[in-house]
Amino acid sequence: MPAETWRLLDTGVSDPYTNMAIDEAILLEHREGKTPPTLRFYAWSPPTISLGYFQQLEKEIDLEAVKERGLGLVRRLTGGRAVLHDDEVTYSVVAREDHPLMIGGIRPSYLRLAKALAAGLRELGAPVEIASGRKGGREEHTTAACFDAPSWYEITCGGRKLVGSAQTRKGGVVLQHGSIVLTLNGDDLFAVLKMPSEAVRQRLLAKFYHQACGLEEVLGRRVEAGVIKENIVRAFTRLYAVEFVPGGLTEGEKGRLKELRAKYAAADWLKRR
């Protein structure tokens, strides 16, 4: 069977507004049939808190603490809870809802993408598993942080979450993006989350480190981001017969960036929920 051709993008390090604008620009151009399915890798400067689309900013985030720690802050197009993007490899995938990797709804598509991500990490020697979902019961306090517990089909190691992902579907197109954590930084994340008391903050921070991990801790060594990306690309190719063609943003995507970046940088977008 001939391989399907996808575009491979590595857009490097950008500010939070540009990163989110690029993901949406890819979605919009793909929706119009102007680009192939795309796998993108990127990174963040400064380290940034990204809020899920439905989170309430004033209720969950201490803006003064964000400023004091020199962090960026942006609201994603996707749902889920707050993520600190720091020492990580961030990926995004854009493809149509009727693509074989995306059909069947959110959970089946999460599982297919997770299989490729997990296979790439296993090539590095990481004994990762794909979580089947949350267990029943309600915690004494649920934080606004994404990585404090695994959700459906997210990637764990020894029960601790290593990769967190979020997805949205708009106009027949799926955007899924996520964080492959290299070293975990719970201190900055929990410093900016609003908590009922400092005692609760410290208790939940300790719990967070028990429930999440970074790849460097898992492997006991540092792995360069480029090696991680190469392994994930090979895993997609092996599992799904995808041939990746390295490329750049199209003129259409570039043309959308100014307006989209302004949207993500605007206070009304950040405070919208």
Side-chain angles (χ1 to χ4, degrees):
M1 183 174 78
E4 180 191 13
T5 299
W6 281 41
R7 177 177 53 161
L8 177 63
L9 290 179
D10 190 336
T11 54
V13 181
S14 296
D15 67 81
Y17 314 128
T18 300
N19 271 335
M20 294 297 88
I22 292 173
D23 270 355
E24 188 169 356
I26 295 169
L27 183 155
L28 293 172
E29 288 292 294
H30 187 62
R31 186 175 69 186
E32 294 184 4
K34 297 176 179 177
T35 58
T38 297
L39 171 63
R40 174 190 173 215
F41 295 109
Y42 55 104
W44 306 71
S45 182
T48 295
I49 301 290
S50 75
L51 285 177
Y53 182 77
F54 298 102
Q55 285 189 286
Q56 299 178 51
L57 175 68
E58 291 83 359
K59 180 180 178 182
E60 297 178 359
I61 301 295
D62 181 340
L63 295 177
E64 192 60 36
V66 171
K67 184 177 179 181
E68 287 173 359
R69 292 194 171 236
L71 303 174
L73 181 63
V74 69
R75 183 182 295 278
R76 302 189 303 270
L77 192 63
T78 55
R81 293 184 285 176
V83 178
L84 173 60
H85 304 280
D86 188 1
D87 187 22
E88 67 174 47
V89 171
T90 315
Y91 80 90
S92 67
V93 173
V94 172
R96 298 195 63 83
E97 282 186 297
D98 58 5
H99 188 279
L101 287 184
M102 300 302 183
I103 57 174
I106 292 175
R107 287 182 184 173
S109 61
Y110 255 89
L111 178 57
R112 296 182 194 107
L113 296 178
K115 284 180 177 179
L117 295 170
L121 294 173
R122 288 186 189 118
E123 283 192 18
L124 296 168
V128 297
E129 300 174 339
I130 299 174
S132 60
R134 295 188 186 278
K135 295 181 179 179
R138 186 165 180 83
E139 301 291 343
E140 51 138 4
H141 179 80
T142 301
T143 78
C146 171
F147 272 76
D148 67 351
S151 298
W152 284 99
Y153 302 139
E154 292 188 313
I155 295 168
T156 63
C157 188
R160 299 166 72 197
K161 188 169 175 178
L162 177 64
V163 181
S165 301
Q167 188 180 114
T168 189
R169 293 171 175 241
K170 292 187 176 297
V173 174
V174 178
L175 163 65
Q176 179 171 312
H177 49 200
S179 302
I180 303 165
V181 177
L182 303 184
T183 57
L184 196 63
N185 181 358
D187 292 27
D188 279 341
L189 175 58
F190 275 72
V192 305
L193 298 179
K194 288 186 175 179
M195 296 284 174
S197 69
E198 188 59 30
V200 170
R201 184 189 310 279
Q202 292 305 317
R203 184 165 67 249
L204 292 174
L205 175 60
K207 181 180 175 185
F208 174 81
Y209 277 116
H210 182 70
Q211 293 181 329
C213 60
L215 189 60
E216 186 170 339
E217 177 188 353
V218 168
L219 295 175
R221 69 182 194 278
R222 182 74 180 181
V223 179
E224 292 304 314
V227 175
I228 297 167
K229 298 169 192 177
E230 289 169 3
N231 280 13
I232 289 171
V233 168
R234 281 199 299 269
F236 269 97
T237 298
R238 185 173 68 253
L239 290 175
Y240 300 122
V242 174
E243 178 184 349
F244 287 97
V245 178
L249 295 174
T250 65
E251 291 305 310
E253 288 163 340
K254 292 176 183 176
R256 293 180 182 270
L257 289 185
K258 183 177 180 180
E259 182 178 354
L260 287 171
R261 187 186 183 282
K263 180 186 86 169
Y264 284 102
D268 62 345
W269 171 262
L270 183 62
K271 298 176 180 178
R272 63 178 291 131
R273 295 281 164 178

